[in-house]
């Protein structure tokens, strides 16, 4: 293969990215997948000649990203990859929706963000997949939901109480985030706030990915102390959300003691973020060149002591919940995603690890403080709700240990470096293991070093289809529980 090999956060001049013929491009992607690689990003960029398609393939075993492109002239189509590699299905649909480039032979070229949310007089109304039969009935849920939930439409095809098929249509919160990054590229404060708002519960994850990408293009070394503080904030975000998810799962099965206890425990963690940067969600912490807030020696001790107390308390609560027969009866063998399915559709994050898929950016593509604080990938095998709940408890414990070790050996020095001008005519891939999984930001700069293309990926982009497959064969009443066990982002998908 004649692809460009790069590392996470390694800028590459555009002229060094191979441009292959469409047939060679496709063939070499298939070759990469057959050798064990997976798709990390697949996107287009409008250029004078037509549309340039980029593919970023990840070789997790070697911690290497492989990069290549092809040019399609005048909306020229290409032979779809999805029939052979299902993990491309959503990427190809997104490129088609954004640029009109048709992946010929795609099995189901349905909209990504222009579904029923994009009804317009000039667009043909979307027709949902339908199963015919005397005893088959459909149940539509959303886009407006009871409670404080983001909008999304779920169309169930059921035989009695059993779900035969679930189709999920999103796009109700499409804000044009990628375009906004380009339009406001000269306003750093706006870009920081925008990166924090891609998914409101993943402030540190997305802000870290975007700022790291810009710093890499500018050749700006982030101070060691700032890298350590970013790790601490990212792991606090992981602990808080995982704990909140355990509370939500308990609530969905009417285990109200667990709901109350885990909910109260989550508050203690987000209050630690509040004590560090003034925001319980970490807003304002990440800035270009480092972090805005340092922590004192006294704060280090206070955070360490609170995390030790928290660990004892959550361990006790988890032992009670995961030994309760009524909890196990609802969690075990519900919403199973086998490892082969998870691999085929490209699942990421704790949902993938709960199915036995060993993927974790912190271990596979480490940067910053993770270079000297190795993360051991943790997996479970059953792929059910129980497994997705248990992996959260395990990762909470792991994150606490990471933070305690980082605090114990916190480097001294400054927490911010001046930012230089970004490299011109270059591309960088920035990967972060957020609490939901793999976050990927790709930036491309123009001749003046300004961002001309921003491509974002929240881990939910991979995993919504996993939820649709998890509920097949389950009772429709188990959908809320399955949904909560994934806890995916609507706005992170919609962008």
């Amino acid at each position: 293969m004649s692809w460009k090999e790069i590392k996470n956060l390694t800028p590459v001049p555009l002229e060094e990215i191979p441009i292959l013929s469409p047939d060679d491009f496709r063939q070499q992607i298939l070759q990469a997948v057959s050798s064990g690689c997976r798709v990390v990003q697949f996107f287009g960029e409008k250029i004078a000649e037509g549309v340039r398609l980029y593919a970023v393939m990840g070789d997790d075993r070697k911690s290497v990203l492989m990069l290549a492109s092809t040019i399609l002239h005048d909306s020229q189509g290409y032979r779809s990859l999805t029939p052979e590699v299902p993990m491309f299905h959503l990427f190809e649909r997104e490129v088609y929706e954004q640029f009109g480039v048709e992946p010929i032979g795609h099995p189901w070229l349905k909209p990504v963000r222009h579904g029923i949310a994009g009804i317009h007089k000039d667009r043909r109304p979307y027709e949902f997949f339908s199963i015919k039969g005397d005893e088959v009935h459909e149940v539509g849920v959303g886009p407006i939901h009871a409670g404080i939930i983001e909008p999304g439409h779920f169309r169930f095809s059921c035989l009695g109480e059993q779900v035969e098929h679930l189709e999920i249509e999103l796009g109700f919160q499409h804000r044009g985030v990628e375009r906004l990054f380009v339009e406001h590229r000269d306003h750093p404060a706006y870009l920081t706030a925008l990166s924090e708002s891609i998914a409101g519960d993943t402030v540190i994850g997305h802000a870290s990915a975007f700022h790291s990408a810009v710093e890499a293009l500018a050749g700006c070394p982030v101070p060691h102390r700032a890298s350590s503080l970013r790790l601490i904030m990212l792991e606090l975000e992981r602990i808080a959300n995982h704990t909140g998810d355990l509370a939500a799962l308990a609530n969905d099965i009417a285990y109200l003691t667990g709901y109350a206890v885990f909910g109260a425990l989550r508050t203690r963690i987000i209050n630690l973020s509040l004590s560090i940067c003034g925001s319980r969600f970490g807003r304002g912490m990440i800035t270009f060149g480092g972090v805005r807030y340092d922590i004192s020696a006294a704060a280090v001790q206070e955070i360490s002591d609170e995390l030790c107390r928290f660990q004892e308390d959550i361990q006790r609560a988890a032992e009670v919940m995961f030994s309760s027969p009524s909890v196990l009866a609802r969690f075990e063998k519900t919403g199973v995603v086998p490892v082969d399915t998870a691999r085929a559709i490209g699942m990421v994050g704790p949902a993938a690890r709960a199915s036995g898929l060993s993927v974790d950016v912190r271990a596979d593509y480490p940067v910053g403080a993770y270079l000297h604080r190795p993360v051991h990938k943790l997996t479970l095998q059953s792929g059910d709700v129980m497994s997705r709940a248990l992996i959260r408890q395990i990762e909470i414990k792991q994150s606490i240990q990471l933070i305690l070790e980082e605090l114990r050996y916190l480097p001294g020095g400054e927490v911010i470096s001046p930012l230089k001008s970004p490299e011109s005519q270059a591309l960088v891939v920035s990967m972060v293991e957020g609490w939901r999984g793999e976050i990927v930001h790709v930036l491309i700069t123009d001749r003046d070093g300004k961002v001309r293309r921003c491509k974002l990926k929240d881990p939910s982009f991979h995993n919504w289809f996993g939820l649709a497959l998890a509920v097949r064969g389950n009772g429709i009443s188990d959908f809320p529980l399955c949904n909560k066990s994934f806890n995916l982002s609507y706005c992170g998908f919609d962008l």
Side-chain angles (χ1 to χ4, degrees):
M1 290 177 60
S2 54
W3 291 47
K4 178 71 176 178
E5 290 192 0
I6 60 174
K7 296 281 189 179
N8 185 11
L9 291 180
T10 302
V12 54
L14 291 179
E15 62 187 16
E16 295 183 12
I17 300 174
I19 301 176
L20 310 176
S21 71
D23 287 343
D24 287 346
F25 183 65
R26 181 181 188 280
Q27 194 58 40
Q28 293 191 20
I29 287 175
L30 296 178
Q31 184 181 339
V33 172
S34 66
S35 65
C37 295
R38 62 186 178 85
V39 59
V40 171
Q41 263 294 14
F42 183 81
F43 65 98
E45 182 190 22
K46 188 70 178 173
I47 59 174
E49 299 92 327
V51 174
R52 186 171 180 180
L53 281 186
Y54 294 88
V56 182
M57 305 296 295
D59 189 336
D60 299 341
R61 300 156 301 182
K62 299 178 181 176
S63 300
V64 167
L65 299 170
M66 296 187 299
L67 180 61
S69 67
T70 188
I71 293 178
L72 302 172
H73 301 277
D74 300 326
S75 300
Q76 168 193 0
Y78 66 99
R79 191 177 163 198
S80 173
L81 292 151
T82 300
E84 284 106 324
V85 191
M87 70 177 77
F88 274 89
H89 77 105
L90 199 48
F91 290 100
E92 292 193 314
R93 286 164 45 197
E94 184 184 46
V95 169
Y96 177 62
E97 188 169 273
Q98 292 182 343
F99 301 99
V101 174
E102 182 177 356
I104 301 167
H106 191 291
W108 196 10
L109 205 52
K110 57 179 286 187
V112 178
R113 302 182 182 96
H114 292 172
I116 61 172
I119 289 177
H120 187 278
K121 62 179 182 180
D122 296 330
R123 292 195 185 127
R124 188 177 64 183
Y126 177 67
E127 295 182 7
F128 284 87
F129 180 81
S130 181
I131 298 177
K132 304 297 182 185
D134 293 339
E135 298 183 16
V136 175
H137 65 280
E138 290 186 346
V139 178
V141 179
I144 307 301
H145 301 271
I148 305 173
I149 304 173
E150 295 177 278
H153 181 76
F154 303 85
R155 184 72 62 95
F156 298 88
S157 297
C158 301
L159 187 59
E161 291 293 315
Q162 182 172 299
V163 177
E164 297 295 317
H165 177 74
L166 167 61
E167 188 170 350
I168 302 172
E169 273 300 318
L170 304 177
F172 296 89
Q173 296 183 109
H174 179 45
R175 298 154 288 167
V177 174
E178 293 175 351
R179 174 177 51 80
L180 290 173
F181 272 108
V182 178
E183 289 181 353
H184 296 274
R185 59 191 184 183
D186 295 325
H187 305 96
Y190 182 98
L191 296 178
T192 294
L194 183 61
S195 66
E196 293 173 342
S197 305
I198 294 171
D201 52 17
T202 315
V203 169
I204 300 297
H206 276 291
S208 296
F210 177 73
H211 289 75
S212 296
V214 174
E215 290 154 0
L217 285 167
C220 173
V222 175
H224 293 313
R225 188 175 179 86
S227 293
S228 293
L229 291 172
R230 285 184 178 184
L231 180 150
I232 290 167
M233 292 299 292
L234 186 64
E235 296 305 325
L236 282 176
E237 187 170 81
R238 192 182 322 278
I239 296 170
N241 281 291
H242 280 1
T243 306
D245 284 346
L246 292 178
L249 283 165
N251 186 46
D252 270 1
I253 57 170
Y255 178 61
L256 298 184
T257 301
Y259 175 56
V261 171
F262 286 116
L265 286 169
R266 170 183 172 271
T267 301
R268 288 166 56 180
I269 296 301
I270 60 178
N271 282 347
L272 285 179
S273 296
L274 177 71
S275 70
I276 294 173
C277 67
S279 166
R280 298 200 297 177
F281 300 103
R283 287 181 176 270
M285 183 66 183
I286 308 295
T287 189
F288 294 104
V291 295
R292 281 201 183 91
Y293 302 95
D294 201 351
I295 55 177
S296 65
V300 167
Q301 190 59 51
E302 290 171 6
I303 295 169
S304 299
D305 291 345
E306 173 62 357
L307 282 175
C308 290
R309 290 190 294 269
F310 174 88
Q311 184 169 336
E312 292 179 4
D313 292 342
I314 197 168
Q315 181 67 26
R316 191 178 306 115
E319 285 176 359
V320 173
M321 185 169 85
F322 289 120
S323 61
S324 169
S326 62
V327 172
L328 299 181
R330 293 299 308 279
F331 281 9
E332 289 182 331
K333 299 180 181 177
T334 301
V336 176
V337 180
V339 64
D340 290 343
T341 301
R343 183 180 294 109
I345 64 175
M347 282 175 56
V348 297
R353 295 191 283 275
S355 290
L357 202 57
S358 180
V359 288
D360 190 323
V361 173
R362 298 173 297 172
D364 296 330
Y365 305 95
V367 292
Y370 291 105
L371 286 169
H372 59 81
R373 194 70 61 203
V375 174
H376 300 289
K377 292 189 284 187
L378 304 170
T379 59
L380 297 173
Q381 301 299 320
S382 60
D384 54 7
V385 170
M386 179 67 183
S387 190
R388 288 189 287 276
L390 201 53
I391 198 74
R392 285 175 166 85
Q393 189 230 332
I394 293 170
E395 291 189 357
I396 288 170
K397 186 176 181 180
Q398 183 185 45
S399 293
I400 291 172
Q401 291 308 310
L402 282 170
I403 296 175
L404 291 176
E405 289 179 17
E406 204 63 34
L407 289 171
R408 191 174 300 124
Y409 302 105
L410 193 63
E414 302 296 324
V415 296
I416 190 169
S417 293
L419 191 66
K420 304 173 187 175
S421 297
E423 189 176 335
S424 63
Q425 298 278 68
L427 178 151
V428 68
V429 179
S430 176
M431 303 173 68
V432 169
E433 184 70 18
W435 66 273
R436 279 194 182 93
E438 182 178 287
I439 296 168
V440 179
H441 289 202
V442 179
L443 299 183
I444 299 177
T445 55
D446 61 15
R447 294 183 185 279
D448 298 322
K450 296 185 177 181
V451 174
R452 77 176 198 204
R453 177 74 169 109
C454 173
K455 187 74 200 78
L456 311 173
K457 188 191 75 178
D458 186 87
S460 303
F461 190 79
H462 286 277
N463 288 357
W464 275 111
F465 192 51
L467 170 62
L469 298 181
V471 299
R472 286 185 179 178
N474 286 251
I476 192 171
S477 59
D478 279 332
F479 170 70
L481 184 58
C482 293
N483 189 20
K484 201 69 67 183
S485 71
F486 280 84
N487 190 15
L488 303 174
S489 174
Y490 298 67
C491 61
F493 178 94
D494 291 346
L495 296 177

